[in-house]
Amino acid sequence: MLVALTRPVPTSIAECELTHLKREPIYWARATEQHRQYEAALVSLGCRVEHLPVQPALPDSVFVEDTAVVVDECAVIARPGAKSRRGETATVAKTLGAYRTLSKIVAPGTLDGGDVLQIGRRIYVGLSSRTNTDGARQLAAFLQPFGYTVQTTTVRECLHLKSAVSTLPDGRLLLNPRWIDGAAFAVPYLEVDAMEPHAANVLCVSKTVVCPATAVRTRKRLQSEGYEVVSVDASELAKAEAGLTCCSIVFWADIG
Ligand code: GLY
């Protein structure tokens, strides 16, 4: 079945890392309610949501995607580029160890899971303010024995590779052409509506695309292409420079 790891929103969320956004108030109660609705959407799409322990002193700890890369054969524990986030990985490793053999990115490598885009057996790593070439090299060394090819790409004007591009259920991509060059991927793609730059981060669960509620025009574009779309309001966590994929790690697990 599909497992979705999530972690509660910490009360310190307003002190999160910000790279491209200006700081504005983030209301914990509203963020928590939106996070609850996000988890409910995952459950309605067939995921078993497994909660990691809350980490009150780690403001970005709700963004679990950045802490690991999980493929069918193994998992790689990340080494987040922001020092303030490095304490997030231990509990993720403990939980993922029950499902996968683990490897770990070590210094001087840095890698955020949000910079890793999987398209079948091709893995793209965005070189960003968080992920460096050594992190990408280590990831490649862990995944190549399983038949994955790993290549780097550059990210511009946004935090992570997956801020700019996401996979869709049929293998096409959804991307924001201002932040990433679609030709880099050799896969057909759709563009977000130009008014909705952050709509490029969508979460696919089986055949369904989970889309931010603010991305009304992009949602229509996806529906007109035949995709099944559900919307989730994640506007409060968006102020923390996060998209929908950031709040979970979704993977297949054999559970008896
Ligand atoms: N606030 C999300 C991040 O910077 O990692």
Side-chain angles (χ1 to χ4, degrees):
M1 74 178 307
L2 276 176
V3 173
L5 299 188
T6 65
R7 196 194 306 271
V9 182
T11 47
S12 57
I13 181 70
E15 295 153 44
C16 66
E17 295 281 343
L18 290 175
T19 307
H20 297 275
L21 294 186
K22 283 206 184 104
R23 195 167 296 280
E24 53 183 314
I26 300 175
Y27 298 102
W28 174 82
R30 191 180 299 155
T32 293
E33 173 54 22
Q34 290 180 355
H35 190 257
R36 190 193 64 71
Q37 290 174 15
Y38 172 84
E39 290 180 329
L42 293 178
V43 169
S44 75
L45 296 172
C47 295
R48 193 191 75 175
V49 171
E50 188 168 336
H51 297 105
L52 294 159
V54 65
Q55 296 200 286
L58 297 178
D60 285 293
S61 54
V62 62
F63 305 128
V64 292
E65 173 183 55
D66 293 319
T67 60
V69 177
V70 181
V71 294
D72 288 345
E73 299 85 355
C74 66
V76 178
I77 302 303
R79 182 167 182 267
K83 286 198 183 87
S84 67
R85 301 200 57 187
R86 298 212 178 128
E88 298 173 24
T89 57
T91 50
V92 175
K94 196 168 168 205
T95 299
L96 277 178
Y99 295 103
R100 295 286 192 279
T101 303
L102 303 182
S103 303
K104 197 173 172 195
I105 304 291
V106 294
T110 62
L111 184 106
D112 277 16
D115 278 319
V116 179
L117 180 77
Q118 181 179 1
I119 307 176
R121 299 198 89 75
R122 277 182 297 143
I123 307 274
Y124 291 89
V125 179
L127 299 179
S128 69
S129 60
R130 300 292 177 82
T131 295
N132 66 16
T133 51
D134 194 65
R137 181 194 59 75
Q138 292 182 43
L139 185 72
F142 293 136
L143 297 185
Q144 277 166 351
F146 298 107
Y148 293 92
T149 59
V150 176
Q151 70 186 79
T152 57
T153 184
T154 43
V155 174
R156 55 177 185 255
E157 296 177 48
C158 62
L159 181 57
H160 287 129
L161 176 61
K162 277 193 274 190
S163 313
V165 55
S166 306
T167 48
L168 292 169
D170 59 359
R172 288 196 285 177
L173 303 176
L174 176 67
L175 60 82
N176 174 350
R178 276 173 43 207
W179 292 346
I180 196 83
D181 180 5
F185 303 104
V187 170
Y189 60 86
L190 299 177
E191 295 183 359
V192 296
D193 186 281
M195 308 276 285
E196 298 172 348
H198 295 280
N201 182 271
V202 295
L203 175 65
C204 289
V205 182
S206 303
K207 297 280 178 219
T208 303
V209 183
V210 185
C211 190
T214 47
V216 178
R217 294 160 187 256
T218 301
R219 175 187 177 138
K220 282 201 183 114
R221 194 171 283 187
L222 288 168
Q223 287 171 322
S224 72
E225 292 284 335
Y227 295 103
E228 191 181 312
V229 184
V230 299
S231 293
V232 171
D233 183 1
S235 51
E236 208 58 28
L237 289 175
K239 298 181 199 170
E241 207 163 358
L244 291 178
T245 62
C246 303
C247 292
S248 60
I249 301 175
V250 180
F251 58 90
W252 286 99
D254 283 328
I255 297 169

